[in-house]
Amino acid sequence: MILHIDMDAFYAAVEQRDNPELRGKCLIVGGRSARAVVTTASYEARRYGVRSAMPMFEARRRCPHAIIIPGRMERYKAVSRRIMALLEDFTPLVEPVSIDEAYLDISGGRRLFGPPEQVARRIKQQILQTTGLTCSIGGAPLRFLAKIASDLQKPDGLTILQAEEIPAFIESLPLAKIPGVGQVAQDQLARMNLSTLGDVRRLPQEMLVRRLGKFGHRLAALARGEDPTPVTP
């Protein structure tokens, strides 16, 4: 079983934790120049449609009362190191993929820590007690599904997909949810009348490869419920 840990609005959450006056406020972390973009927005600001990587002028148009502050990368890195060290208490197989997310392979820890949901809840509790921050966790036998699952109930979410649930989940999974399927690939797949991973499964792999190249092989494997990508510390 693989877990994907994703901190909730990490930079903004750290700022709100460090400064109680910012809690519950529409907070945007980023620059103030004409070309600046949103680094992270609090969930209060996200309700107005503010998203990461959005041009700052658009964010200010959507949420004119937002508080905008510059980022503090050294502070975020320090908090991230505490979180990653905490995760290693549960398994040596921890793969950080960014400052605020990581994969864990907990397959060997069932006797010590219990079933996956119990492990995930303990991790969430430890992170909250240690840092005062919430995270969302997804778990699945396949790495790509663990990442998708972590996004299903944000913020402070927990979704565990068991092996028997995977075929039905894959059948209705929108292609836009799959890591690596960007806008260009989505447009190509839409022209092929493909909108879900179940649609892909019913298409000959040769056609996918002809249209998408090497990624066609990858997409066909995911549609069959195959993802051998390991968690690599």
Side-chain angles (χ1 to χ4, degrees):
M1 178 65 73
I2 294 174
L3 299 182
H4 180 252
I5 317 297
D6 194 6
M7 300 304 296
D8 297 324
F10 183 53
Y11 297 175
V14 171
E15 297 295 347
Q16 289 178 320
R17 183 202 65 177
D18 289 355
N19 184 354
E21 293 183 1
L22 297 176
R23 295 175 188 173
K25 303 287 182 63
C26 292
L27 177 66
I28 298 175
V29 178
R32 292 178 173 271
S33 70
R35 296 184 178 182
V37 297
V38 174
T39 303
T40 307
S42 68
Y43 282 96
E44 292 84 359
R46 295 184 189 194
R47 297 191 188 105
Y48 291 85
V50 179
R51 294 289 181 269
S52 298
M54 175 181 286
M56 190 62 75
F57 71 85
E58 175 63 17
R60 298 180 75 167
R61 185 188 68 80
R62 296 189 181 202
C63 190
H65 58 286
I67 301 170
I68 302 173
I69 62 174
R72 298 183 296 157
M73 282 306 301
E74 290 306 314
R75 178 59 173 158
Y76 309 145
K77 288 178 182 178
V79 177
S80 176
R81 285 192 291 269
R82 293 180 65 190
I83 293 169
M84 299 305 168
L86 183 154
L87 297 179
E88 291 176 354
D89 290 340
F90 291 87
T91 173
L93 299 177
V94 177
E95 180 183 345
V97 290
S98 72
I99 195 171
D100 64 344
E101 61 178 315
Y103 289 97
L104 282 70
D105 187 334
I106 60 168
S107 302
R110 189 180 185 95
R111 291 183 61 185
L112 186 61
F113 295 111
E117 183 172 347
Q118 182 174 322
V119 176
R121 292 192 183 281
R122 288 185 63 178
I123 291 172
K124 287 170 66 68
Q125 182 182 34
Q126 287 294 314
I127 290 177
L128 182 61
Q129 289 179 347
T130 302
T131 69
L133 304 173
T134 65
C135 68
S136 293
I137 299 181
L142 305 177
R143 177 176 169 133
F144 88 104
L145 290 180
K147 181 171 177 61
I148 292 171
S150 70
D151 196 44
L152 293 180
Q153 299 188 63
K154 272 188 162 290
D156 199 19
L158 172 58
T159 303
I160 303 294
L161 295 174
Q162 302 296 340
E164 61 271 17
E165 299 174 298
I166 290 178
F169 187 82
I170 284 178
E171 178 65 28
S172 60
L173 182 63
L175 292 171
K177 293 281 190 181
I178 299 173
V181 178
Q183 191 57 55
V184 173
Q186 289 178 44
D187 293 342
Q188 287 180 296
L189 294 165
R191 288 194 290 271
M192 298 166 67
N193 295 317
L194 303 175
S195 61
T196 69
L197 207 49
D199 294 335
V200 171
R201 184 171 52 81
R202 289 182 284 274
L203 197 71
Q205 181 169 327
E206 296 76 15
M207 183 180 295
L208 279 172
V209 175
R210 189 165 59 248
R211 296 285 190 91
L212 302 174
K214 185 184 297 186
F215 188 64
H217 288 291
R218 166 75 171 165
L219 200 58
L222 298 184
R224 295 191 300 268
E226 301 172 5
D227 183 12
T229 310
V231 173
T232 306

PDB file of all heavy atoms in Angstrom, residues 22-35:
ATOM      1  N   LEU A  22      -3.772  36.329  10.847  1.00  0.00           N
ATOM      2  CA  LEU A  22      -4.061  35.949   9.462  1.00  0.00           C
ATOM      3  C   LEU A  22      -5.048  34.781   9.373  1.00  0.00           C
ATOM      4  O   LEU A  22      -5.533  34.473   8.284  1.00  0.00           O
ATOM      5  CB  LEU A  22      -2.768  35.565   8.732  1.00  0.00           C
ATOM      6  CG  LEU A  22      -1.729  36.678   8.575  1.00  0.00           C
ATOM      7  CD1 LEU A  22      -0.465  36.123   7.924  1.00  0.00           C
ATOM      8  CD2 LEU A  22      -2.300  37.827   7.753  1.00  0.00           C
ATOM      9  N   ARG A  23      -5.337  34.162  10.491  1.00  0.00           N
ATOM     10  CA  ARG A  23      -6.220  32.994  10.477  1.00  0.00           C
ATOM     11  C   ARG A  23      -7.635  33.385  10.091  1.00  0.00           C
ATOM     12  O   ARG A  23      -8.169  34.389  10.564  1.00  0.00           O
ATOM     13  CB  ARG A  23      -6.209  32.308  11.840  1.00  0.00           C
ATOM     14  CG  ARG A  23      -4.850  31.723  12.181  1.00  0.00           C
ATOM     15  CD  ARG A  23      -4.802  31.155  13.592  1.00  0.00           C
ATOM     16  NE  ARG A  23      -3.437  30.775  13.947  1.00  0.00           N
ATOM     17  CZ  ARG A  23      -3.061  30.379  15.159  1.00  0.00           C
ATOM     18  NH1 ARG A  23      -3.953  30.308  16.137  1.00  0.00           N
ATOM     19  NH2 ARG A  23      -1.794  30.059  15.391  1.00  0.00           N
ATOM     20  N   GLY A  24      -8.210  32.584   9.211  1.00  0.00           N
ATOM     21  CA  GLY A  24      -9.573  32.849   8.747  1.00  0.00           C
ATOM     22  C   GLY A  24      -9.667  33.935   7.703  1.00  0.00           C
ATOM     23  O   GLY A  24     -10.767  34.265   7.248  1.00  0.00           O
ATOM     24  N   LYS A  25      -8.511  34.501   7.303  1.00  0.00           N
ATOM     25  CA  LYS A  25      -8.496  35.591   6.332  1.00  0.00           C
ATOM     26  C   LYS A  25      -8.160  35.061   4.932  1.00  0.00           C
ATOM     27  O   LYS A  25      -7.562  33.996   4.778  1.00  0.00           O
ATOM     28  CB  LYS A  25      -7.452  36.640   6.721  1.00  0.00           C
ATOM     29  CG  LYS A  25      -7.632  37.241   8.109  1.00  0.00           C
ATOM     30  CD  LYS A  25      -8.795  38.200   8.167  1.00  0.00           C
ATOM     31  CE  LYS A  25      -8.945  38.831   9.552  1.00  0.00           C
ATOM     32  NZ  LYS A  25      -7.784  39.644   9.949  1.00  0.00           N
ATOM     33  N   CYS A  26      -8.545  35.820   3.923  1.00  0.00           N
ATOM     34  CA  CYS A  26      -8.143  35.515   2.555  1.00  0.00           C
ATOM     35  C   CYS A  26      -6.680  35.901   2.402  1.00  0.00           C
ATOM     36  O   CYS A  26      -6.345  37.090   2.385  1.00  0.00           O
ATOM     37  CB  CYS A  26      -9.003  36.276   1.545  1.00  0.00           C
ATOM     38  SG  CYS A  26     -10.722  35.726   1.501  1.00  0.00           S
ATOM     39  N   LEU A  27      -5.814  34.914   2.338  1.00  0.00           N
ATOM     40  CA  LEU A  27      -4.368  35.149   2.324  1.00  0.00           C
ATOM     41  C   LEU A  27      -3.771  34.621   1.025  1.00  0.00           C
ATOM     42  O   LEU A  27      -4.063  33.493   0.605  1.00  0.00           O
ATOM     43  CB  LEU A  27      -3.718  34.456   3.517  1.00  0.00           C
ATOM     44  CG  LEU A  27      -2.193  34.540   3.605  1.00  0.00           C
ATOM     45  CD1 LEU A  27      -1.766  35.989   3.828  1.00  0.00           C
ATOM     46  CD2 LEU A  27      -1.681  33.641   4.725  1.00  0.00           C
ATOM     47  N   ILE A  28      -2.940  35.449   0.406  1.00  0.00           N
ATOM     48  CA  ILE A  28      -2.225  35.046  -0.805  1.00  0.00           C
ATOM     49  C   ILE A  28      -0.738  35.226  -0.553  1.00  0.00           C
ATOM     50  O   ILE A  28      -0.289  36.287  -0.126  1.00  0.00           O
ATOM     51  CB  ILE A  28      -2.643  35.892  -2.019  1.00  0.00           C
ATOM     52  CG1 ILE A  28      -4.137  35.693  -2.318  1.00  0.00           C
ATOM     53  CG2 ILE A  28      -1.809  35.533  -3.243  1.00  0.00           C
ATOM     54  CD1 ILE A  28      -4.663  36.590  -3.429  1.00  0.00           C
ATOM     55  N   VAL A  29       0.017  34.167  -0.828  1.00  0.00           N
ATOM     56  CA  VAL A  29       1.473  34.233  -0.732  1.00  0.00           C
ATOM     57  C   VAL A  29       2.018  34.394  -2.143  1.00  0.00           C
ATOM     58  O   VAL A  29       1.723  33.586  -3.031  1.00  0.00           O
ATOM     59  CB  VAL A  29       2.053  32.969  -0.079  1.00  0.00           C
ATOM     60  CG1 VAL A  29       3.576  33.051  -0.035  1.00  0.00           C
ATOM     61  CG2 VAL A  29       1.493  32.781   1.325  1.00  0.00           C
ATOM     62  N   GLY A  30       2.811  35.463  -2.343  1.00  0.00           N
ATOM     63  CA  GLY A  30       3.363  35.718  -3.671  1.00  0.00           C
ATOM     64  C   GLY A  30       3.901  37.131  -3.770  1.00  0.00           C
ATOM     65  O   GLY A  30       3.890  37.888  -2.801  1.00  0.00           O
ATOM     66  N   GLY A  31       4.361  37.495  -4.973  1.00  0.00           N
ATOM     67  CA  GLY A  31       4.920  38.820  -5.184  1.00  0.00           C
ATOM     68  C   GLY A  31       3.847  39.851  -5.462  1.00  0.00           C
ATOM     69  O   GLY A  31       2.673  39.525  -5.658  1.00  0.00           O
ATOM     70  N   ARG A  32       4.254  41.107  -5.510  1.00  0.00           N
ATOM     71  CA  ARG A  32       3.321  42.207  -5.723  1.00  0.00           C
ATOM     72  C   ARG A  32       3.540  42.907  -7.069  1.00  0.00           C
ATOM     73  O   ARG A  32       2.799  43.823  -7.410  1.00  0.00           O
ATOM     74  CB  ARG A  32       3.456  43.251  -4.605  1.00  0.00           C
ATOM     75  CG  ARG A  32       2.984  42.751  -3.247  1.00  0.00           C
ATOM     76  CD  ARG A  32       3.180  43.817  -2.192  1.00  0.00           C
ATOM     77  NE  ARG A  32       2.590  43.430  -0.920  1.00  0.00           N
ATOM     78  CZ  ARG A  32       1.343  43.673  -0.561  1.00  0.00           C
ATOM     79  NH1 ARG A  32       0.535  44.285  -1.407  1.00  0.00           N
ATOM     80  NH2 ARG A  32       0.881  43.300   0.620  1.00  0.00           N
ATOM     81  N   SER A  33       4.531  42.502  -7.823  1.00  0.00           N
ATOM     82  CA  SER A  33       4.813  43.174  -9.079  1.00  0.00           C
ATOM     83  C   SER A  33       3.748  42.840 -10.128  1.00  0.00           C
ATOM     84  O   SER A  33       2.921  41.941  -9.945  1.00  0.00           O
ATOM     85  CB  SER A  33       6.182  42.747  -9.613  1.00  0.00           C
ATOM     86  OG  SER A  33       6.150  41.395 -10.051  1.00  0.00           O
ATOM     87  N   ALA A  34       3.805  43.563 -11.251  1.00  0.00           N
ATOM     88  CA  ALA A  34       2.809  43.366 -12.315  1.00  0.00           C
ATOM     89  C   ALA A  34       2.890  41.967 -12.903  1.00  0.00           C
ATOM     90  O   ALA A  34       1.895  41.438 -13.406  1.00  0.00           O
ATOM     91  CB  ALA A  34       3.010  44.414 -13.404  1.00  0.00           C
ATOM     92  N   ARG A  35       4.073  41.356 -12.848  1.00  0.00           N
ATOM     93  CA  ARG A  35       4.255  40.034 -13.437  1.00  0.00           C
ATOM     94  C   ARG A  35       4.206  38.910 -12.406  1.00  0.00           C
ATOM     95  O   ARG A  35       4.435  37.748 -12.751  1.00  0.00           O
ATOM     96  CB  ARG A  35       5.594  39.973 -14.173  1.00  0.00           C
ATOM     97  CG  ARG A  35       5.668  40.927 -15.365  1.00  0.00           C
ATOM     98  CD  ARG A  35       6.971  40.744 -16.102  1.00  0.00           C
ATOM     99  NE  ARG A  35       7.072  41.606 -17.272  1.00  0.00           N
ATOM    100  CZ  ARG A  35       8.089  41.619 -18.122  1.00  0.00           C
ATOM    101  NH1 ARG A  35       9.120  40.814 -17.898  1.00  0.00           N
ATOM    102  NH2 ARG A  35       8.095  42.430 -19.154  1.00  0.00           N
TER     103      ARG A  35
END
